[in-house]
Amino acid sequence: MSKKTLFDKVWDAHVVSTIENGPQILYIDKHLIHEVTSPQAFNELEDRGISVFRPDQIVATADHNTPTLNQDQPIRDTLSRQQLEQLSINCKKNNITLYELGHKYNGIVHVMAPELGVTQPGMTMVCGDSHTSTHGAFGTIAFGIGTSQVAQVFASQCLLLTKPKSLRVSVNGKLKNGVLPKDVILYIISKLGTNSGTGYFCEYAGNVFEEMSMEGRMTVCNMSIEMGARGGMIAPDETTFEYVKGRKFAPEGEHFEKKVAYWKTLPTDEGASFDMEYSFDAEDIEPMITYGTNPGMGIKISETIPVDENPSFKKSLAYMNFEAGESLINKPINFVFIGSCTNSRIEDFRVAAKYIKGKKKANNVTAWLVPGSKQVEAQIIEEGLKTVFEDAGFELRQPGCSACLAMNDDKIPQGEYCVSTSNRNFEGRQGQGSRTILASPLVAAATAVEGKIIDISKQLN
Amino acid sequence: MEKFTTLQSRTIPLSVENVDTDQIIPARFLKATDRKGFGDNVFRDWRYHKDGTVNTDFVLNDSKYSGSILVAGDNFGCGSSREHAAWAITDFGFKVVVSSFFADIFKGNALNNGLLPVQVSKEFLSDLLQQIESNPQTELTVNLIDQTISVNDSDLSEDFEIDAYKKTCLINGYDDIDYLLSKKAEIEAFEQQSV
């Protein structure tokens, strides 16, 4: 029998049929939706007189466009309010479960779905959001889709797709003190560039990922799209099963055991081949930051910005107001954001709180801590982290996508730098004219305390 | 969806690499619940300064150039999956985007909206951009049936690839929903067998 990859096994199990010389019909187990990329899909179905085929396989949340303050009050911005109202109407009309603003399960779609056990190994999952790759942490084929495809899944629970090529990125060895999952993925993207993964589905392998928590694995898989890959996956193991067990939508009892037996068959067969492979040494990775306007433009904090004559590279540095060859250490920073579907899980806030405890936020810094979900928020309070943050002068806000894409009021002002735990440093991503520096929650916390970028590895060792 | 077979047009050259969908349509314009009108804000923060005045340095504001073909640098459409980017580009009046590389999701979104992404070699793209910049009147012919892109009145021409199924859809103006709905029985049978 031919040797198969994790990706092959999950993909092949979901192929309904293959069009001759064309794409395949892929069955989708779970469809996650939110307010921004679904309304036009609902309209399209309505215009064509088609009903939603499998409403019980859809889960909805409000996250992109929600305020992170005063969530109990009516939303002031008319367009935002209308978009959320439209989602509620559409879900009600089509019998779709919605965890709306204020619900105890509300949160960023890629934080709340795994928390509820909606995400399970071996599934196919889609959402009109490119960071759907996050769910690959469970050994799930999960990827972002456009709104036309949202409509297709509404209508048929399927998509027409050509099977992507396979890519494996292995990282082995021991990570240095202060190197977090975010640094691992920023390092990989800095080495491979932003389009090396285009056309591929990526599997992350090696002891570094095996030893990571589910939160860490989600951070890694989340940014697969930042190197162009449609999705990233990590083989399910005991860590995965333990995480899924007992969650709201997880299978129970004998059914769970049966599923685990199946999930154990999913890891890539020994000797299976990939279309492309890369491997890195864990020892080479250090705390990372970005200096440009795409996530591939990253360096170790201790390094200097490279010199490159490419006009797009120069345009990017000009936007950031950085010079080629300069170090970012000691750069004054006035804004820090800890949040987003990359780094807003409980572990991220534990890391930040551990560093911040007993220290004070620098006076020049505005710092926003935005939990990924209501459940994360509740846990922050329960574990006493909120007190740590508040004692140090930090503001804990309410859950949502927030300043990652600045659709709501959480915008970084023109020209200001923001050290951010989010996933994209594109021009104006966090507000018109804002300048984003991507980093781990530890580096973000240290920046907030110091009011400038510091070499965190020096401080730790 | 509108049918597409062949197009002759002048072009607008955007020689920037890694154009992400946040530049094509910034997030603050994604609050609408229908597909119309996004063209007003396409490349908003490159077309206008923050105070609302027109950025005359940006190519879309340069009266030398016009047409329904956008010629862009490598890795066009990366980042967010927002289909609003494809809607904004088509609503502005483009029917074809030429680049040496397209991000996956953008490419799919474009095809689902009758916007043809034409992927050419880096050499061809570089020659093409040079040609357009030296002569803004340059006209291109994009022929989907033959899968060719050529500069009118010159030898500059190249073949391009497109998925055979997607090609049929574009030529006939079909979309995936029509096809998937015709396979409902097969999908239901698949569900029965996988339970």
Side-chain angles (χ1 to χ4, degrees):
Chain A
M1 221 167 68
S2 69
K3 312 236 183 260
K4 284 180 153 194
T5 65
L6 162 65
F7 176 73
D8 290 333
K9 292 179 194 182
V10 180
W11 180 278
D12 294 350
H14 289 85
V15 174
V16 176
S17 67
T18 302
I19 302 174
E20 212 182 315
N21 298 320
Q24 293 180 301
I25 302 179
L26 192 78
Y27 191 80
I28 303 302
D29 294 317
K30 293 284 177 203
H31 185 190
L32 310 173
I33 63 169
H34 60 84
E35 72 275 26
V36 177
T37 58
S38 67
Q40 293 88 351
F42 281 113
N43 291 349
E44 183 166 349
L45 251 67
E46 204 157 297
D47 289 350
R48 294 164 78 145
I50 306 165
S51 57
V52 174
F53 182 48
R54 294 286 179 249
D56 53 347
Q57 286 168 244
I58 307 171
V59 174
T61 186
D63 57 2
H64 279 64
N65 202 356
T66 54
T68 55
L69 291 174
N70 306 317
Q71 289 188 347
D72 54 330
Q73 291 166 28
I75 299 170
R76 281 177 311 181
D77 181 86
T78 312
L79 287 175
S80 299
R81 192 176 62 245
Q82 283 171 349
Q83 202 173 45
L84 291 170
E85 283 167 0
Q86 195 58 49
L87 180 69
S88 302
I89 293 167
N90 286 334
C91 288
K92 200 166 178 193
K93 214 192 280 182
N94 294 286
N95 296 316
I96 294 166
T97 306
L98 165 67
Y99 299 110
E100 60 194 341
L101 196 61
H103 191 283
K104 65 175 179 175
Y105 295 144
N106 174 260
I108 305 176
V109 62
H110 311 310
V111 177
M112 53 78 75
E115 260 174 8
L116 290 174
V118 172
T119 308
Q120 293 166 27
M123 281 183 167
T124 48
M125 292 179 80
V126 294
C127 175
D129 186 284
S130 61
H131 292 110
T132 308
S133 58
T134 310
H135 308 266
F138 293 77
T140 305
I141 290 185
F143 54 92
I145 56 176
T147 297
S148 294
Q149 290 175 306
V150 171
Q152 290 161 26
V153 182
F154 279 162
S156 68
Q157 205 56 37
C158 286
L159 284 171
L160 283 169
L161 296 166
T162 304
K163 190 177 178 180
K165 289 182 280 187
S166 62
L167 160 70
R168 179 161 60 185
V169 175
S170 305
V171 185
N172 283 291
K174 193 173 167 357
L175 290 176
K176 288 179 183 162
N177 198 10
V179 173
L180 301 186
K182 181 62 165 290
D183 299 306
V184 175
I185 189 63
L186 282 175
Y187 174 85
I188 293 170
I189 300 165
S190 76
K191 293 291 171 194
L192 300 183
T194 50
N195 63 14
S196 56
T198 307
Y200 292 89
F201 227 86
C202 177
E203 178 175 345
Y204 300 96
N207 72 294
V208 163
F209 304 110
E210 287 162 18
E211 290 160 18
M212 265 181 201
S213 65
M214 288 315 293
E215 285 85 353
R217 293 178 190 183
M218 284 189 253
T219 298
V220 170
C221 289
N222 173 275
M223 290 191 72
S224 303
I225 185 73
E226 265 39 88
M227 58 177 177
R230 200 72 183 266
M233 301 174 89
I234 293 174
D237 59 9
E238 290 302 327
T239 306
T240 323
F241 311 148
E242 202 46 48
Y243 181 97
V244 173
K245 196 175 182 176
R247 291 186 185 263
K248 186 174 168 63
F249 292 108
E252 289 174 40
E254 205 182 310
H255 191 45
F256 181 77
E257 295 311 321
K258 258 194 184 156
K259 283 282 186 190
V260 170
Y262 168 61
W263 296 341
K264 284 182 175 172
T265 68
L266 294 175
T268 295
D269 297 330
E270 188 93 32
S273 68
F274 288 80
D275 296 307
M276 186 71 88
E277 289 223 48
Y278 298 100
S279 61
F280 299 101
D281 290 331
E283 285 82 0
D284 282 346
I285 309 175
E286 285 179 24
M288 300 285 296
I289 41 169
T290 62
Y291 57 86
T293 56
N294 72 59
M297 299 174 83
I299 48 173
K300 296 172 185 173
I301 286 197
S302 57
E303 290 178 331
T304 54
I305 296 174
V307 178
D308 192 327
E309 291 306 313
N310 177 306
S312 295
F313 182 90
K314 288 179 144 179
K315 177 179 184 287
S316 181
L317 283 199
Y319 181 85
M320 294 299 290
N321 197 24
F322 289 151
E323 302 282 338
E326 91 175 310
S327 161
L328 294 185
I329 292 172
N330 291 330
K331 275 271 168 209
I333 301 292
N334 295 332
F335 287 84
V336 170
F337 171 59
I338 301 183
S340 87
C341 58
T342 314
N343 283 118
S344 65
R345 298 180 180 84
I346 189 62
E347 206 172 86
D348 302 312
F349 291 99
R350 285 185 192 137
V351 165
K354 192 176 163 204
Y355 182 87
I356 288 167
K357 193 168 186 174
K359 300 186 179 86
K360 287 274 180 228
K361 180 181 73 60
N363 283 333
N364 62 310
V365 172
T366 302
W368 296 329
L369 309 184
V370 182
S373 70
K374 288 295 276 184
Q375 293 206 71
V376 172
E377 183 189 33
Q379 205 168 344
I380 288 172
I381 295 167
E382 196 184 298
E383 293 185 14
L385 309 184
K386 187 178 181 189
T387 318
V388 172
F389 294 135
E390 287 177 352
D391 287 351
F394 285 81
E395 183 183 12
L396 182 70
R397 293 192 160 216
Q398 291 168 307
C401 297
S402 178
C404 172
L405 85 166
M407 256 192 97
N408 65 0
D409 293 338
D410 306 347
K411 293 178 184 8
I412 307 300
Q414 166 117 10
E416 289 284 356
Y417 294 108
C418 177
V419 170
S420 174
T421 66
S422 54
N423 39 55
R424 288 183 174 141
N425 48 355
F426 299 149
E427 282 183 30
R429 169 83 177 182
Q430 296 191 288
Q432 267 182 287
S434 65
R435 297 167 171 151
T436 303
I437 296 171
L438 302 175
S440 75
L442 176 61
V443 170
T447 307
V449 166
E450 300 288 340
K452 60 184 184 180
I453 296 173
I454 60 157
D455 188 348
I456 185 76
S457 34
K458 266 197 186 145
Q459 200 181 67
L460 292 173
N461 294 314
Chain B
M1 202 167 71
E2 250 181 76
K3 294 180 186 181
F4 189 108
T5 49
T6 174
L7 175 73
Q8 268 197 63
S9 167
R10 282 174 61 194
T11 69
I12 298 183
L14 177 62
S15 53
V16 181
E17 293 174 9
N18 299 313
V19 173
D20 59 76
T21 53
D22 271 82
Q23 306 317 314
I24 301 173
I25 183 86
R28 63 185 186 279
F29 300 114
L30 306 186
K31 295 180 182 182
T33 52
D34 62 37
R35 294 182 183 220
K36 293 183 192 83
F38 289 103
D40 292 345
N41 294 312
V42 73
F43 294 110
R44 174 78 200 196
D45 294 340
W46 287 354
R47 275 163 72 202
Y48 299 95
H49 296 296
K50 197 167 181 191
D51 61 10
T53 55
V54 171
N55 174 11
T56 48
D57 292 338
F58 186 57
V59 70
L60 255 63
N61 295 326
D62 189 338
S63 57
K64 283 205 300 287
Y65 301 108
S66 71
S68 49
I69 300 176
L70 179 68
V71 181
D74 199 53
N75 198 27
F76 187 82
C78 57
S80 157
S81 62
R82 59 188 71 162
E83 193 161 316
H84 311 68
W87 300 334
I89 290 174
T90 48
D91 191 49
F92 189 78
F94 290 113
K95 297 190 182 313
V96 170
V97 186
V98 181
S99 177
S100 49
F101 201 89
F102 289 95
D104 277 340
I105 304 180
F106 176 80
K107 193 179 191 174
N109 288 341
L111 289 165
N112 283 333
N113 287 280
L115 174 69
L116 181 63
V118 175
Q119 188 165 326
V120 296
S121 66
K122 282 193 173 174
E123 296 70 38
F124 183 84
L125 180 68
S126 159
D127 291 348
L128 182 59
L129 284 167
Q130 252 177 28
Q131 164 79 31
I132 299 164
E133 278 157 19
S134 66
N135 176 15
Q137 301 296 322
T138 300
E139 259 202 5
L140 294 185
T141 301
V142 176
N143 186 324
L144 177 60
I145 314 272
D146 299 338
Q147 297 179 218
T148 56
I149 173 167
S150 41
V151 177
N152 292 0
D153 309 319
S154 96
D155 299 335
L156 203 56
S157 175
E158 197 168 78
D159 296 342
F160 64 87
E161 298 289 317
I162 183 167
D163 180 275
Y165 165 81
K166 276 292 168 196
K167 181 177 172 177
T168 313
C169 287
L170 281 172
I171 291 171
N172 297 297
Y174 298 156
D175 66 20
D176 290 356
I177 288 192
D178 298 326
Y179 186 84
L180 287 166
L181 286 174
S182 74
K183 298 289 169 187
K184 244 347 185 339
E186 212 175 322
I187 294 167
E188 279 168 336
F190 176 87
E191 286 179 319
Q192 289 304 318
Q193 149 233 311
S194 352
V195 166

